[in-house]
Amino acid sequence: MDNKPVSILITGGAGFIGSNFIPYLLEKYPCYAVVNIDKITYAGNLDNLREAENNNRYRFIKGDICNRELLKLLFNEYDIRGVIHFAAESHVDNSIIGPDVFIQTNVYGTFTVLDVAREYWMQGPGRYRPGYEKCRFHHISTDEVYGSLGETGFFSEDTPYAPNSPYSASKASADMIVKSYYHTYG
Ligand SMILES: NC(=O)c1ccc[n+]([C@@H]2O[C@H](COP(=O)([O-])OP(=O)(O)OC[C@H]3O[C@@H](n4cnc5c(N)ncnc54)[C@H](O)[C@@H]3O)[C@@H](O)[C@H]2O)c1
């Protein structure tokens, strides 16, 4: 029996959430190997991943999720079977000062990761490459796609989208693209 760990691509793994998630995943699930692609913007910090550095199931790749050729190479090289997509420009205030990079990374970057996964895993709409049926794409959204709350109240997944900042609009756009891939390609 082949006990080789299954490779998962984690995007933005040097950020706040990803750098906590990666050591947790590596420790809890020895059946997975992690390939972490991160551009190391001001928000990324490899110091937070020291405990993963020497793990032979962990690889770090400094790169941009908008780089299609690099992503294709990683899918082929590591035979990626799952994606957990954290990478984003994530600070609302920055999106007000400089929205451009939010559209680049959050919209175009999400599309690129998603489309490379589709190309690698699928033969056509609803048809997986044989052996790739269990591959999954996990996209991380934000509650801010639902707009702003007052002092009280809460959102649910049925709340209509109402993004109010370039950040939340870029995340809402990414959500729509992911949803369209789910419905179009499965
Ligand atoms: N932190 C929160 O409170 C919160 C709440 C809701 C949703 N989210 C979402 O969760 C995800 C992770 O959030 P976080 O707080 O860890 O973000 P973060 O800003 O701390 O980290 C983002 C990471 O993505 C990397 N990155 C940015 N652009 C990139 C690119 N083009 N290519 C490759 N890597 C790139 C950065 O270097 C950084 O390491 C994001 O999608 C965010 O929208 C976060």
Side-chain angles (χ1 to χ4, degrees):
M1 204 172 116
D2 185 6
N3 283 326
K4 202 170 158 250
V6 172
S7 291
I8 308 271
L9 181 73
I10 294 187
T11 72
F16 174 55
I17 300 178
S19 62
N20 284 282
F21 181 74
I22 287 175
Y24 166 82
L25 184 84
L26 287 170
E27 189 181 330
K28 185 153 184 192
Y29 298 101
C31 56
Y32 292 124
V34 168
V35 179
N36 172 20
I37 180 174
D38 196 300
K39 190 176 171 184
I40 312 294
T41 66
Y42 75 94
N45 186 351
L46 288 175
D47 288 345
N48 297 335
L49 281 166
R50 283 267 158 79
E51 61 191 292
E53 247 169 33
N54 296 321
N55 191 314
N56 59 14
R57 289 182 288 113
Y58 174 71
R59 290 281 176 284
F60 171 68
I61 311 290
K62 188 168 191 293
D64 191 325
I65 55 162
C66 297
N67 184 342
R68 186 178 188 104
E69 290 313 309
L70 174 61
L71 287 169
K72 279 168 76 169
L73 200 130
L74 295 180
F75 270 77
N76 277 300
E77 171 88 15
Y78 295 101
D79 189 25
I80 298 296
R81 301 292 179 120
V83 174
I84 303 177
H85 176 42
F86 291 111
E89 285 292 332
S90 71
H91 293 107
V92 180
D93 291 352
N94 291 345
S95 85
I96 295 164
I97 298 160
D100 192 293
V101 71
F102 283 73
I103 304 303
Q104 271 302 319
T105 289
N106 299 0
V107 184
Y108 187 69
T110 298
F111 158 73
T112 307
V113 185
L114 198 55
D115 200 53
V116 170
R118 175 194 63 77
E119 216 172 58
Y120 190 72
W121 295 340
M122 311 296 290
Q123 286 184 326
R127 286 189 300 122
Y128 281 93
R129 264 174 80 186
Y132 287 76
E133 294 81 359
K134 290 188 176 160
C135 295
R136 291 290 179 272
F137 190 104
H138 298 270
H139 166 65
I140 316 301
S141 184
T142 174
D143 59 326
E144 289 182 51
V145 297
Y146 300 119
S148 321
L149 282 178
E151 293 285 305
T152 58
F154 55 87
F155 299 125
S156 81
E157 287 181 357
D158 298 322
T159 305
Y161 272 44
N164 289 326
S165 69
Y167 165 60
S168 54
S170 69
K171 292 293 289 187
S173 306
D175 291 3
M176 296 298 157
I177 297 166
V178 171
K179 211 169 186 179
S180 81
Y181 268 58
Y182 171 68
H183 285 286
T184 306
Y185 302 109

